[in-house]
Amino acid sequence: MSSTTEHSPQVTEPATAVVGASPEKITLDRPPKGPWHTRVKGWHRLLIIVVEFTLIFALWQYLVGTLEITNPIFLPPPSRIWNGFFDMVSSGELWPHLRRSAYSYTVGYSLAVIVGIPLGLLLGTSVVAYRLTGPLIWSLYATPWIALMPMATIWFGFGAAPVMFIVFLAAFFPVMLNTAAGPQTVDRSLIRSATVFGAGSLTVFRKVILPASLPFILIGMRLAIVIGMIGLMVAEIVGSTVGLGALIKLKSATFKIGSAFSVIVIAVTLTMIFGTALKALAEKVAPWHFSDKA
Amino acid sequence: MTTTKDPSGIEEAGQVAVAEREIDHDHIGKVLAPPGFIRRHTWNFVFVIEIVFIILIWQFLQGGIEIFPIKFVPAPSGIFTELVDLLGDTRTYDHILYSLRSFVVGYVLAAVVGITVGLLVGGSKLAELTIGPLVWTSYAVPRSALAPMIIVWFGLGLMSKVTLVFLLAVFPIIINTMEGVRHVDKTLVNAGKVFGGSTMQILRKIVVPALLPFILIGLRIAVVRGFIGVLLGEFLGSFKGLGKILNTASYNFETARALAIVVILIFLANVTMFLVSSIKKWVAPWHHEESLLGGGR
């Protein structure tokens, strides 16, 4: 884990060799001196990002909005995206869609977490259970769940239920499989020493396995946020009339691409809100996961 | 490393990449069960028996006592009949080929672009500063939400599906490649230098072997995403392809036929997945996804 999240100049250094840099670059083993861009840190970095995005948006606005190098109906300038957003908010058109999407997403995601974590813990702790169901689960995981969307509509009708079902399917596997990886990677010697000190299997589970698995559970939940959002969008685009995905489809079909883009921005914002909420929760329930990254 | 909040969210995304990697269950079995405890093939048989068992129960519940209306949940026998019917029809192969063609073109493009961008962003500090934020921002956007617009832009033909496959498949590849670059052991590179290795040798003997498993894991995840892209594109508007006939079948309420097409899709996705996994086992046999399995490292 530790080296995964590490992101210091030293770690990225050898990789310069990959893009075929000069050989002396490979051997950098000194405090970063190099050109300016190797020393950018903290808020400077943020500044660069902000400037870059401002430039991109300004250029986009100029090229498409003023020069009209492409037909603005197909690729609207940022100003039109903003107008589209403003129109939908002021006319109140957005709210029913937003409410429905938030509802389907929350229910589908919560179900995935509620079902996925216990099943994942079971799979992770019991070799027999894993051996029995593992191959099946992996081959199910490999199937594109969107293929079930037309069937889900037949099974659950045209309301929020088929969308929930797809969000559930999309989010369930990352949660369960990552949770299963938790108990499987617990340091065996920790379990042994707990047993030596007289802990029963329940205590071992509660005091050793569960805390060690928490980071994995959280990774699964975080992944599921993004994948669940993909599921939500896909399901609503393909088979729903209410929801953000359906709104995107409607707006594109009527060539209001600006509005469609602004819906995507809303979806991104939603994802970010959920992600931030989860991160706050994670820091609360598993603070050690965020402190021992040394 | 002391935990610093990275403004571009790179730290967070690193964990995502870890989890996007998959677990080699054979290896877990070997780690947890004593070696030679149970022969590996036993479990393959168990897998087959399991599937047969599930099908039999399903057949009993639906074909026999019919707990759900058969119109909604068809029995396996009905699906099988439709499957035979579909596979006997040459038009089906046209549809399969059409879907596979959009998949392959988009997937190969995604692989080429994804690996290149991943190497660049992971390997060069300058690229990381300039392209990096763009990559992370686009990663946050649900690409699938672009599908209706992509249909508007590229029409109902092959182009729109290829674009969708590319957009959905490219990000797992980029992110895993970047992760791989970050995992190249610097000590090994230095050791290689000390022992007089040339740049080419270091690339070939140290960097590439360290990178390959990660890239291949990214490629494996991209398979599922790519298939989602194909289906999404074909659901939204197409003249041909498996997604098209699946859609038609479910609109006509031919659930058995629709599920037969889903079976074909499951088969295709698993075969592609298996191919990529085999490539990984072939070029990187030593790699067992150790960052998830090795514990404290």
Side-chain angles (χ1 to χ4, degrees):
Chain A
M1 279 307 297
S2 55
S3 50
T4 323
T5 46
E6 205 167 0
H7 193 77
S8 55
Q10 295 101 292
V11 182
T12 47
E13 220 72 276
T16 42
V18 174
V19 279
S22 47
E24 59 266 22
K25 269 200 173 165
I26 300 168
T27 52
L28 281 181
D29 195 6
R30 46 191 163 77
K33 254 189 268 172
W36 66 272
H37 59 76
T38 55
R39 280 173 285 132
V40 183
K41 285 219 175 63
W43 69 274
H44 283 279
R45 208 188 166 90
L46 198 66
L47 190 71
I48 289 178
I49 294 169
V50 170
V51 167
E52 188 179 346
F53 276 91
T54 317
L55 271 180
I56 288 174
F57 278 118
L59 197 68
W60 181 3
Q61 178 70 42
Y62 178 67
L63 287 179
V64 185
T66 317
L67 289 183
E68 297 203 2
I69 52 160
T70 61
N71 189 339
I73 286 178
F74 288 110
L75 184 69
S79 62
R80 219 184 252 220
I81 296 176
W82 170 249
N83 287 341
F85 173 72
F86 192 75
D87 283 350
M88 282 192 298
V89 170
S90 58
S91 70
E93 191 187 358
L94 180 68
W95 307 121
H97 296 283
L98 186 61
R99 218 176 301 131
R100 167 67 78 81
S101 281
Y103 172 61
S104 315
Y105 183 82
T106 318
V107 174
Y109 180 82
S110 314
L111 274 180
V113 169
I114 291 168
V115 180
I117 291 178
L119 277 183
L121 285 176
L122 179 71
L123 284 190
T125 38
S126 153
V127 184
V128 176
Y130 195 85
R131 281 302 211 168
L132 275 178
T133 52
L136 200 64
I137 287 165
W138 280 103
S139 50
L140 279 181
Y141 180 60
T143 60
W145 32 260
I146 181 194
L148 285 175
M149 185 58 201
M151 293 305 293
T153 316
I154 289 181
W155 290 331
F156 303 110
F158 280 101
V163 177
M164 280 176 201
F165 175 68
I166 295 294
V167 172
F168 169 79
L169 273 190
F172 170 69
F173 285 103
V175 171
M176 183 177 67
L177 292 172
N178 279 290
T179 306
Q184 284 164 348
T185 51
V186 178
D187 199 339
R188 298 286 119 184
S189 53
L190 285 182
I191 296 178
R192 252 174 270 138
S193 57
T195 320
V196 165
F197 282 108
S201 55
L202 204 68
T203 320
V204 169
F205 180 78
R206 216 161 47 89
K207 298 270 180 184
V208 181
I209 295 179
L210 206 55
S213 311
L214 256 180
F216 288 88
I217 296 177
L218 291 169
I219 288 172
M221 284 174 70
R222 192 179 299 173
L223 254 179
I225 284 185
V226 179
I227 299 177
M229 188 52 85
I230 299 178
L232 178 78
M233 285 296 138
V234 169
E236 286 181 344
I237 288 171
V238 173
S240 178
T241 48
V242 190
L244 293 180
L247 191 59
I248 294 175
K249 195 182 175 185
L250 180 76
K251 291 292 173 191
S252 320
T254 51
F255 287 103
K256 291 185 177 125
I257 308 277
S259 307
F261 261 112
S262 63
V263 178
I264 292 180
V265 176
I266 295 169
V268 175
T269 319
L270 264 187
T271 320
M272 280 174 162
I273 291 173
F274 282 119
T276 318
L278 182 66
K279 197 163 185 176
L281 179 80
E283 274 168 28
K284 213 164 184 147
V285 295
W288 62 89
H289 175 49
F290 296 89
S291 55
D292 69 357
K293 274 192 193 146
Chain B
M1 177 175 89
T2 47
T3 313
T4 46
K5 290 275 179 290
D6 204 331
S8 59
I10 282 165
E11 179 195 309
E12 183 181 323
Q15 290 167 355
V16 173
V18 173
E20 280 222 15
R21 248 176 277 139
E22 286 153 23
I23 312 149
D24 188 337
H25 43 84
D26 277 337
H27 183 63
I28 292 169
K30 266 188 274 166
V31 170
L32 295 191
F37 181 61
I38 296 168
R39 301 289 290 273
R40 204 195 285 187
H41 292 295
T42 319
W43 291 105
N44 289 342
F45 287 125
V46 168
F47 178 48
V48 174
I49 292 168
E50 226 173 278
I51 289 181
V52 172
F53 196 62
I54 291 173
I55 292 177
L56 281 180
I57 290 184
W58 184 359
Q59 178 67 44
F60 173 68
L61 289 181
Q62 278 311 100
I65 51 179
E66 210 178 306
I67 46 167
F68 296 110
I70 198 92
K71 196 95 188 90
F72 286 90
V73 186
S77 55
I79 298 175
F80 186 73
T81 326
E82 284 291 341
L83 192 61
V84 172
D85 188 46
L86 274 171
L87 292 180
D89 189 350
T90 44
R91 276 173 302 170
T92 313
Y93 297 98
D94 276 355
H95 291 300
I96 293 179
L97 278 182
Y98 185 82
S99 294
L100 279 184
R101 194 163 58 201
S102 12
F103 173 79
V104 169
V105 175
Y107 186 79
V108 169
L109 269 176
V112 172
V113 173
I115 293 173
T116 317
V117 172
L119 291 181
L120 265 177
V121 176
S124 133
K125 198 79 189 154
L126 187 62
E128 193 215 301
L129 265 181
T130 49
I131 315 175
L134 281 180
V135 171
W136 291 118
T137 317
S138 355
Y139 182 65
V141 176
R143 273 87 50 200
S144 43
L146 288 170
M149 274 168 265
I150 285 167
I151 301 282
V152 170
W153 289 332
F154 297 105
L156 300 177
L158 204 64
M159 192 59 200
S160 53
K161 282 101 207 168
V162 169
T163 315
L164 267 175
V165 173
F166 172 80
L167 279 180
L168 283 171
V170 76
F171 281 92
I173 302 176
I174 294 182
I175 282 159
N176 279 283
T177 308
M178 286 166 56
E179 199 54 39
V181 171
R182 223 171 284 164
H183 269 252
V184 176
D185 196 338
K186 202 192 159 223
T187 328
L188 289 181
V189 176
N190 281 342
K193 282 301 287 182
V194 167
F195 283 106
S198 69
T199 313
M200 259 332 277
Q201 278 172 323
I202 287 175
L203 271 181
R204 210 160 50 88
K205 301 263 181 189
I206 299 171
V207 176
V208 171
L211 270 175
L212 264 181
F214 287 89
I215 295 179
L216 283 159
I217 290 165
L219 287 175
R220 208 164 57 186
I221 299 167
V223 170
V224 187
R225 301 288 167 86
F227 270 102
I228 293 177
V230 174
L231 283 176
L232 186 56
E234 290 176 352
F235 281 162
L236 283 180
S238 180
F239 304 114
K240 280 173 102 184
L242 285 172
K244 165 85 175 83
I245 53 174
L246 174 56
N247 226 4
T248 315
S250 34
Y251 278 146
N252 295 340
F253 231 83
E254 297 168 313
T255 42
R257 193 178 174 81
L259 280 178
I261 299 167
V262 172
V263 169
I264 297 178
L265 278 166
I266 290 177
F267 177 75
L268 286 179
N270 274 297
V271 166
T272 321
M273 201 75 160
F274 176 76
L275 282 179
V276 179
S277 300
S278 316
I279 295 176
K280 176 167 171 281
K281 276 193 188 129
W282 177 51
V283 297
W286 65 89
H287 187 257
H288 276 300
E289 264 108 308
E290 78 285 351
S291 48
L292 270 182
L293 296 169
R297 191 172 76 91

